[in-house]
Amino acid sequence: MSSIHSKLQIGVKLTGNVAGVMLNTAMMRWPFAAAFLLAAVRFVGAGDYPASAESDYAIRDFRFTSGETLPELRIHYRTLGKADKDSQGKTTNAVLVMHGTTGSGAQFIRPEFAGELFGGGQPLDATKFFIVLPDGIGHGKSSKPSDGLRAKFPRYGYRDMVDAQYRLLTDGLGVTHARLVTGTSMGGMHTWLWGEMHPDFMDALMPLASLPTQISGRNRAWRRIIIDAIRNDPGWSGGEYKMQPPSLRTAAEMLWFMSSNPLLRQKEAPALAKTDEVLDKFVADIVKADDANDVLYALEASRDYDPGLDLEKIRAPLLAINSADDLINPPELGILEREIKRVPHGRALVIPLSEKTRGHGSHTIAALWKDELVRLLTESEK
């Protein structure tokens, strides 16, 4: 959740290896931060890449697939670099990067991601690419239930989120084409939808930590457990609570359970008392900074996700990357290997378990897969 990374904000100036050590220590204390990757961790001088710029784009009278409307939908975003266009006015260097459930674009401004990708000579060198990091509907600094509407906020789905991202790029930023569309977890799921909804918009697609099929099985079940816990909590009060309901603790506990791999969890919590200590700290940090309505809406938004219907419509080269220790998208299901055959120019990779993988959170450890990104960019170059 985006709140978790807000607990990891470090307000001192750190550089080089010291910054890396401090971040790694924080990640060991809150390993879920590596999974849903929720808010910004700020380091001064930690990465050799340009600073990001933040802004908002307002979409007037946004109509959701539910039929509901908002007079103004605010989409917050960060950018690095500047857009280049060819003689026909086509954008040639735009990269869209989308975050996971309850996260924000801020989660990518960190050594493991931006420090591996956005620096000089790196795969997505921000002096050459125009990188766009939006906050999805209901997330980060974009319009969300906790802004004031609470449970009266429109019921958004993943297709609404992709539509808003598309309008941000085209109407808000004047981007007519993307060199790459990619994302992690929920952002990975959005990447599949982008390929189907706007098949000619991009040169390449790279969904990370996701499956091209309807949410079901254990993936649906853990979401449903949290949804039911919140909606059936008397303290939720139909979304009009005065303080965070107890069910937010249940949400945090379930997310801690699902987000990393068992080896790392056992390493950080090797005894009963230590497990309670780690879990209590993790939950307390979330309850202080998160919001039950925002979490509820974010999890319910996956209800309309079903890219399996139109995989053949994807035209751009696509590389799907998962990890073998991902409890949310376990490879033993065989879904990725089966469905990728339907993508005309699709390829799939499952990163083996190692000391470097972080379960579902491997999606943000760019060192694990950036060589494959380079290969995709080379193969899709026009």
Side-chain angles (χ1 to χ4, degrees), residues 220-299:
R220 170 58 179 169
W222 73 263
R223 297 166 190 266
R224 174 68 185 273
I225 290 169
I226 294 175
I227 290 168
D228 286 353
I230 295 174
R231 288 198 171 276
N232 295 323
D233 184 348
W236 182 60
S237 301
E240 297 299 322
Y241 45 86
K242 301 302 181 183
M243 62 180 63
Q244 293 300 325
S247 51
L248 187 57
R249 291 183 56 88
T250 304
E253 290 166 349
M254 180 58 69
L255 292 168
W256 185 90
F257 180 75
M258 290 295 297
S259 61
S260 187
N261 70 43
L263 295 176
L264 289 174
R265 287 291 184 243
Q266 189 65 28
K267 183 176 181 179
E268 71 162 333
L272 187 149
K274 185 61 177 178
T275 303
D276 288 347
E277 175 189 337
V278 170
L279 187 59
D280 287 344
K281 174 61 176 173
F282 179 84
V283 170
D285 287 341
I286 290 180
V287 171
K288 282 189 292 187
D290 235 320
D291 179 82
N293 281 331
D294 290 348
V295 172
L296 175 66
Y297 270 72
L299 289 171

Side-chain angles (χ1 to χ4, degrees), residues 122-144:
Q122 293 179 332
L124 299 177
D125 186 338
T127 65
K128 299 177 180 178
F129 289 95
F130 179 52
I131 301 163
V132 183
L133 310 172
D135 292 353
I137 298 173
H139 292 68
K141 298 179 183 178
S142 292
S143 295
K144 57 186 182 291

Side-chain angles (χ1 to χ4, degrees), residues 94-110:
V95 174
L96 174 65
V97 185
M98 298 168 288
H99 61 77
T101 302
T102 70
S104 76
Q107 70 188 48
F108 299 115
I109 308 299
R110 53 186 305 129

Side-chain angles (χ1 to χ4, degrees), residues 197-361:
M197 295 168 66
H198 306 286
D200 297 317
F201 190 82
M202 71 291 294
D203 292 334
L205 296 150
M206 191 177 73
L208 292 150
S210 62
L211 291 174
T213 190
Q214 187 180 71
I215 301 293
S216 61
R218 187 172 63 183
N219 196 358
R220 170 58 179 169
W222 73 263
R223 297 166 190 266
R224 174 68 185 273
I225 290 169
I226 294 175
I227 290 168
D228 286 353
I230 295 174
R231 288 198 171 276
N232 295 323
D233 184 348
W236 182 60
S237 301
E240 297 299 322
Y241 45 86
K242 301 302 181 183
M243 62 180 63
Q244 293 300 325
S247 51
L248 187 57
R249 291 183 56 88
T250 304
E253 290 166 349
M254 180 58 69
L255 292 168
W256 185 90
F257 180 75
M258 290 295 297
S259 61
S260 187
N261 70 43
L263 295 176
L264 289 174
R265 287 291 184 243
Q266 189 65 28
K267 183 176 181 179
E268 71 162 333
L272 187 149
K274 185 61 177 178
T275 303
D276 288 347
E277 175 189 337
V278 170
L279 187 59
D280 287 344
K281 174 61 176 173
F282 179 84
V283 170
D285 287 341
I286 290 180
V287 171
K288 282 189 292 187
D290 235 320
D291 179 82
N293 281 331
D294 290 348
V295 172
L296 175 66
Y297 270 72
L299 289 171
E300 289 187 334
S302 63
R303 67 188 178 278
D304 70 346
Y305 177 69
D306 192 5
L309 301 175
D310 294 312
L311 291 175
E312 288 84 2
K313 293 183 179 180
I314 298 175
R315 298 194 183 107
L318 180 148
L319 171 61
I321 300 179
N322 285 359
S323 58
D325 53 348
D326 186 343
L327 298 183
I328 294 175
N329 304 294
E332 55 265 34
L333 297 178
I335 292 173
L336 182 60
E337 293 79 3
R338 182 187 72 228
E339 296 300 301
I340 198 65
K341 297 175 184 177
R342 297 173 50 204
V343 180
H345 305 287
R347 183 166 62 90
L349 171 67
V350 176
I351 301 171
L353 168 68
S354 74
E355 292 183 354
K356 296 180 180 179
T357 57
R358 294 293 180 267
H360 189 65

